[in-house]
Amino acid sequence: MTTIYVTKWALTEGIKEVRGCRTDVPTMTRVVSGKGACYDYHVHKPHWHVTYNEAVAQACKMQTKKIASLRKQLARLKTLTFEDSPDG
């Protein structure tokens, strides 16, 4: 088993450093234990990384994409108008 860095939940829980082992599928790893807790799940690429720097780069991409999405949502919300109901 090796240490890997999971970014699947980086925007809500941060980058997780866990022990994992690769499966026979090269783009997937099985995480079997973490710091202070035990896990048993599979993580697919691009949500796990061998180095912390790779994980940080992926988290930054995720952050940039989420900010763009929120800006787009905010722009849509600003264009909404609410009028009086047809009854009143």
Side-chain angles (χ1 to χ4, degrees):
M1 283 213 269
T2 60
T3 299
I4 60 168
Y5 301 91
V6 178
T7 56
K8 184 168 183 152
W9 305 279
L11 299 181
T12 55
E13 299 178 19
I15 297 170
K16 296 196 176 286
E17 179 182 344
V18 295
R19 302 282 292 160
C21 58
R22 300 235 178 127
T23 62
D24 43 346
V25 179
T27 60
M28 185 168 58
T29 192
R30 180 170 181 244
V31 177
V32 292
S33 65
K35 288 184 177 179
C38 291
Y39 304 99
D40 191 11
Y41 56 87
H42 291 81
V43 182
H44 295 267
K45 277 292 196 178
H47 301 294
W48 65 271
H49 310 275
V50 177
T51 69
Y52 185 74
N53 288 339
E54 289 174 358
V56 169
Q58 176 63 24
C60 287
K61 286 180 188 176
M62 293 167 63
Q63 181 184 43
T64 300
K65 186 175 178 179
K66 183 66 174 183
I67 289 170
S69 172
L70 290 171
R71 284 186 175 146
K72 187 176 178 180
Q73 182 180 6
L74 183 59
R76 267 196 314 264
L77 288 171
K78 286 181 178 180
T79 64
L80 288 178
T81 58
F82 302 97
E83 300 174 17
D84 290 335
S85 69
D87 298 334

